[in-house]
Amino acid sequence: MSGLPRWRPEVINRLPRWLSEIISIVLWWGTLALALWLLSQGLNRPPSLVACIASGALLAAVGETGDWLRRRRRTRRDRSEVRQGWTSHSE
């Protein structure tokens, strides 16, 4: 067992940002598609796996767009606070 490489969190930080984003989206999308498919199987209303994958892709796109907008709004707000000479951390 000592010959096997150990997984370390710092390895993820070595990946380029674009690659880590792609991996994150693909994992999230796959999890959503699997969850939708399992839910439909449990409700005895089985759609095709392709339909679940498409729905998962749509939900992932909406979620990522919302996250992007949230980060963009926070960045703009933080910049305007700095320009005005105050921050939310000051009392």
Side-chain angles (χ1 to χ4, degrees), residues 23-81:
I23 290 169
S24 173
I25 291 170
V26 168
L27 289 175
W28 189 42
W29 172 42
T31 303
L32 280 171
L34 182 63
L36 289 171
W37 186 75
L38 288 173
L39 181 65
S40 68
Q41 295 297 318
L43 295 174
N44 204 18
R45 300 179 142 256
S48 69
L49 185 57
V50 173
C52 291
I53 290 171
S55 296
L58 177 64
L59 289 172
V62 169
E64 287 297 320
T65 302
D67 183 53
W68 176 78
L69 287 171
R70 178 189 57 81
R71 283 184 279 132
R72 182 175 172 165
R73 188 178 324 148
R74 175 181 282 169
T75 302
R76 283 186 174 191
R77 185 186 68 215
D78 290 347
R79 282 187 199 154
S80 82
E81 288 175 355

Side-chain angles (χ1 to χ4, degrees), residues 6-26:
R6 289 185 49 204
W7 180 81
R8 296 172 308 210
E10 58 269 7
V11 171
I12 301 247
N13 294 333
R14 291 184 203 156
L15 293 175
R17 182 170 170 82
W18 63 269
L19 184 57
S20 63
E21 288 287 328
I22 289 173
I23 290 169
S24 173
I25 291 170
V26 168

